[in-house]
Amino acid sequence: MKDKRVYIQEVATRDGFQNEAQFVDTDAKIALVDRLSACGYAKIEVTSFTSPKAIPALRDAEAVMHGIKRHEGVTYTVLVPNIRGAERALSCGVDEVNLVMSVSESHNRTNLRMSREQSFSQLRDVIGVVKQTKVAINVSLSTAMGCPMEGDIDQTEVLRWMERFAAEGVHGVTLCDTTGMAFPSQVCALCSDALAQFPELELTLHFHNTRGMALANTLAALGAGIDRFDASLGGLGGCPYAPGATGNVCTEELVHMLELDGYDTEVNLAELLSASGSLPRLIGHDVPSQLLKAGRRSDLHTMPCLSNDGLPEQRAFATGV
Amino acid sequence: MKDKRVYIQEVATRDGFQNEAQFVDTDAKIALVDRLSACGYAKIEVTSFTSPKAIPALRDAEAVMHGIKRHEGVTYTVLVPNIRGAERALSCGVDEVNLVMSVSESHNRTNLRMSREQSFSQLRDVIGVVKQTKVAINVSLSTAMGCPMEGDIDQTEVLRWMERFAAEGVHGVTLCDTTGMAFPSQVCALCSDALAQFPELELTLHFHNTRGMALANTLAALGAGIDRFDASLGGLGGCPYAPGATGNVCTEELVHMLELDGYDTEVNLAELLSASGSLPRLIGHDVPSQLLKAGRRSDLHTMPCLSNDGLPEQRAFATGV
């Protein structure tokens, strides 16, 4: 595994900010994306070209896309739900559009207000438009590892939707654990089959830490051969089904673990932590990131003052184990 | 892996409560242990026979041990730092004593106010006393996967201390990631070597979730063949080096993941969640457990009210992915 390249894709300014009650100023969004652009990401999902009425937090999508400075080597992607969104995104010169539908019929109807077949038909139209350009197309399949209403999602259903989109010529597919229902053995099985069946697709895993399993699932995905992950700075990104629970897998915690395990993410963890530390001021509350509180494994502490016998003057810590 | 037995050992009333500022009433501690005794644990670390001055939160160790109702099949263990603690523990009829020292010299001096050799010598005396009884002896090796002051801990050092205690005839050893510094590939290597070198020892892994890696590390340990884990209800158990960071690996999150992955823990998750929900009242603050907020994977939600066309009346959730 040593030095195996793993690609990190940041989603905080999209999946994170869309869930925030407090509007993040356009200038602050641009400054954050610019800061993240220097961190070594493979891809940044900058914003979402959804209806400003549906997601007012991202009503400034055009301004943000026009305001950011593009870095070479970073793919700038945006969420696009329909033709209108695609046209808006293309007018901003995005590198990639990220389409979205749910593998679960119930979730698709709840989240997108249409059946899966309606979604597919609409997204096929979007693909038709975008394919006339050089812009890459990714499809994010929500609830691919569990639906909060339907429960288990049959793996063959996931592979079937991947197949339909692969047939339309998309560049990549993201398997999304939208509400943190994935578990390691499931992830391993799904990823193995998906990689075997669609070797030509750029495959991304998108985990939420709703039930604490995001990094364990990452480990399972890595074991199956996955090398590309979405993550959210500070662990931003709530889940409407679990108020107060943590959001997307936290980028700095993901990178921290991957680097310790010998993977090469090309992400600058120190810069990431510094950027994460700026989030509470932007959104008005603390972020779920544990690493931000605890510091990196390599951030060592000094011993308390020692007395002459080489022992601490005071019992500093009470028999921690 | 299917149906492989994994043994869960609860430490909340010891590793959790010792870090709490608010004293938990003796009766409440007894009631909680009694409640946990019915949950299917292999072992419960009830309390700590340390000096009441050092850990006032557990100053009622005797009263708690005398007050609880023992369940058949549950091993009741207690932390014991020295001969005095061992005598107190033995007078309460414990099933096991859990001795403790650090693999890191700096951490041992900080935490226990003596050198490792002094600790070993003292613990050897304790082992001598306890071996005259039928009480089992476990040794918890703190900072076995990293020291907050020294950083990396050489794996050969960990195995060396295991060997010294194995030679004294202890029944089990717990490898403790005291401040959440372990990472998966390290855990896998250490566990594989420890299991190979000491097949006769009951080996426990004790993870903290300080940097979010506890469940990923658990997965790595399982892969290496470990089948016994300490965990803390609600994720209680702070780390003095990381104020505000999460504590021990959360029992309900551990059990939830293990059961989904097909392991047999024999722990009743519903009862566990119910008991975890009672903690905030006891300790006066929220607990780190995400599962308590999010609910189990199997706790499904109903779809929002549908209109005649089978679509939700209102857009319930804004394009979550």
Side-chain angles (χ1 to χ4, degrees):
Chain A
M1 294 292 188
K2 283 287 164 195
D3 299 317
K4 194 190 161 185
R5 180 79 165 92
V6 173
Y7 302 89
I8 308 295
Q9 308 183 161
E10 180 58 52
V11 302
T13 56
R14 201 280 301 165
D15 209 358
F17 284 172
Q18 79 175 17
N19 284 294
E20 294 300 326
Q22 180 173 316
F23 183 75
V24 179
D25 285 340
T26 306
D27 286 348
K29 283 175 182 147
I30 292 168
L32 180 60
V33 172
D34 284 347
R35 191 169 181 178
L36 294 173
S37 286
C39 284
Y41 286 101
K43 198 180 278 189
I44 297 176
E45 190 167 64
V46 178
T47 185
S48 175
F49 284 92
T50 30
S51 152
K53 264 202 288 189
I55 308 184
L58 303 182
R59 62 179 182 259
D60 53 4
E62 276 91 349
V64 173
M65 271 311 299
H66 284 302
I68 59 169
K69 287 181 201 75
R70 315 283 181 96
H71 278 232
E72 217 178 330
V74 181
T75 298
Y76 293 89
T77 189
V78 294
L79 196 84
V80 158
N82 51 31
I83 285 277
R84 175 80 192 102
E87 288 164 351
R88 290 169 62 203
L90 292 175
S91 79
C92 296
V94 299
D95 299 321
E96 180 189 276
V97 293
N98 182 24
L99 314 183
V100 59
M101 67 169 281
S102 294
V103 180
S104 149
E105 182 72 19
S106 307
H107 188 265
N108 205 73
R109 284 174 181 264
T110 306
N111 197 42
L112 301 174
R113 297 212 63 209
M114 62 186 87
S115 71
R116 290 178 299 173
E117 284 303 334
Q118 285 172 305
S119 273
F120 182 72
S121 165
Q122 189 169 299
L123 295 181
R124 198 167 43 190
D125 293 345
V126 174
I127 292 167
V129 169
V130 179
K131 275 173 92 171
Q132 296 164 27
T133 70
K134 288 184 171 175
V135 171
I137 305 170
N138 187 78
V139 177
S140 282
L141 294 175
S142 297
T143 63
M145 284 155 270
C147 166
M149 289 158 287
E150 296 183 11
D152 289 334
I153 294 294
D154 196 331
Q155 186 179 300
T156 56
E157 268 294 278
V158 182
L159 297 171
R160 186 172 75 84
W161 286 103
M162 287 184 75
E163 193 162 32
R164 291 184 76 177
F165 281 107
E168 298 296 324
V170 303
H171 168 71
V173 167
T174 302
L175 299 178
C176 301
D177 180 26
T178 309
T179 64
M181 294 176 69
F183 53 94
S185 56
Q186 173 200 30
V187 169
C188 183
L190 176 59
C191 291
S192 299
D193 285 0
L195 283 169
Q197 199 167 328
F198 306 102
E200 76 288 357
L201 283 179
E202 181 182 282
L203 193 55
T204 298
L205 267 288
H206 175 110
F207 290 120
H208 281 242
N209 199 34
T210 321
R211 290 168 179 87
M213 290 184 283
L215 288 183
N217 287 330
T218 301
L219 206 59
L222 288 165
I226 298 294
D227 64 357
R228 191 173 284 272
F229 297 92
D230 280 352
S232 179
L233 193 71
L236 287 192
C239 166
Y241 297 95
T246 47
N248 293 65
V249 62
C250 170
T251 313
E252 57 264 36
E253 288 176 7
L254 174 67
V255 169
H256 183 250
M257 182 182 83
L258 290 173
E259 294 283 338
L260 287 170
D261 258 0
Y263 292 95
D264 173 22
T265 65
E266 294 195 2
V267 171
N268 183 328
L269 185 55
E271 288 296 323
L272 221 58
L273 281 164
S274 167
S276 182
S278 77
L279 288 174
R281 200 177 44 79
L282 292 185
I283 58 178
H285 61 83
D286 205 7
V287 294
S289 173
Q290 290 302 314
L291 197 67
L292 195 60
K293 299 188 184 84
R296 291 168 296 188
R297 183 184 196 274
S298 57
D299 296 336
L300 300 186
H301 298 254
T302 50
M303 267 183 85
C305 212
L306 295 183
S307 60
N308 287 339
D309 58 358
L311 297 172
E313 288 288 357
Q314 290 194 321
R315 187 190 188 81
F317 308 114
T319 323
V321 171
Chain B
M1 295 293 188
K2 282 288 163 194
D3 298 318
K4 196 192 160 187
R5 180 81 166 91
V6 173
Y7 302 89
I8 308 294
Q9 310 183 157
E10 180 58 51
V11 302
T13 55
R14 201 279 302 165
D15 210 359
F17 285 172
Q18 77 175 18
N19 283 295
E20 294 300 326
Q22 181 172 316
F23 182 76
V24 178
D25 284 340
T26 306
D27 287 349
K29 282 175 183 151
I30 293 168
L32 179 61
V33 172
D34 285 346
R35 190 169 183 179
L36 295 173
S37 286
C39 283
Y41 285 102
K43 198 181 278 188
I44 297 176
E45 190 167 63
V46 179
T47 185
S48 176
F49 284 92
T50 29
S51 152
K53 262 201 289 187
I55 309 184
L58 303 182
R59 61 178 182 259
D60 54 3
E62 275 91 349
V64 173
M65 271 311 299
H66 283 304
I68 60 170
K69 289 182 201 72
R70 314 283 180 95
H71 278 232
E72 216 177 334
V74 181
T75 298
Y76 295 89
T77 189
V78 294
L79 196 83
V80 158
N82 50 32
I83 285 276
R84 175 78 192 104
E87 288 165 351
R88 291 169 61 202
L90 293 175
S91 79
C92 297
V94 300
D95 298 321
E96 180 189 276
V97 294
N98 183 24
L99 315 183
V100 57
M101 66 168 282
S102 295
V103 180
S104 147
E105 181 74 18
S106 306
H107 188 265
N108 204 73
R109 285 173 181 264
T110 306
N111 197 42
L112 301 175
R113 297 212 64 209
M114 63 186 88
S115 71
R116 290 179 297 174
E117 284 303 334
Q118 284 172 306
S119 274
F120 182 73
S121 165
Q122 188 169 299
L123 295 181
R124 196 167 46 187
D125 292 345
V126 174
I127 292 167
V129 168
V130 180
K131 274 174 91 171
Q132 296 165 25
T133 71
K134 287 183 171 176
V135 172
I137 305 170
N138 188 79
V139 177
S140 281
L141 294 175
S142 297
T143 64
M145 283 155 272
C147 165
M149 289 159 285
E150 295 183 11
D152 290 334
I153 294 293
D154 196 331
Q155 186 178 300
T156 57
E157 270 293 278
V158 182
L159 298 171
R160 186 172 73 85
W161 285 102
M162 288 184 75
E163 192 163 32
R164 291 184 76 177
F165 281 106
E168 297 296 325
V170 303
H171 168 71
V173 166
T174 302
L175 299 178
C176 301
D177 180 27
T178 310
T179 64
M181 294 176 71
F183 53 93
S185 56
Q186 172 199 31
V187 169
C188 183
L190 175 59
C191 291
S192 299
D193 285 1
L195 283 169
Q197 199 168 329
F198 306 101
E200 77 288 356
L201 283 180
E202 181 183 280
L203 193 56
T204 298
L205 267 288
H206 175 109
F207 291 120
H208 281 243
N209 198 34
T210 322
R211 291 169 178 85
M213 291 184 281
L215 288 183
N217 287 330
T218 300
L219 206 60
L222 287 164
I226 297 294
D227 64 358
R228 190 174 285 273
F229 296 92
D230 280 351
S232 178
L233 193 71
L236 286 193
C239 166
Y241 297 95
T246 46
N248 293 63
V249 63
C250 171
T251 312
E252 57 265 35
E253 289 177 7
L254 174 67
V255 169
H256 182 251
M257 181 181 83
L258 290 173
E259 294 283 337
L260 287 170
D261 259 1
Y263 291 95
D264 172 23
T265 65
E266 294 194 3
V267 171
N268 184 325
L269 186 54
E271 288 295 323
L272 222 57
L273 282 163
S274 167
S276 181
S278 77
L279 288 175
R281 200 177 45 79
L282 292 186
I283 57 176
H285 62 84
D286 205 6
V287 295
S289 173
Q290 291 302 315
L291 197 68
L292 194 61
K293 299 188 184 83
R296 290 169 295 187
R297 182 182 196 274
S298 57
D299 296 336
L300 300 185
H301 299 254
T302 51
M303 268 184 84
C305 213
L306 295 183
S307 60
N308 288 339
D309 59 358
L311 297 173
E313 289 289 356
Q314 292 194 320
R315 187 191 186 81
F317 308 113
T319 323
V321 172

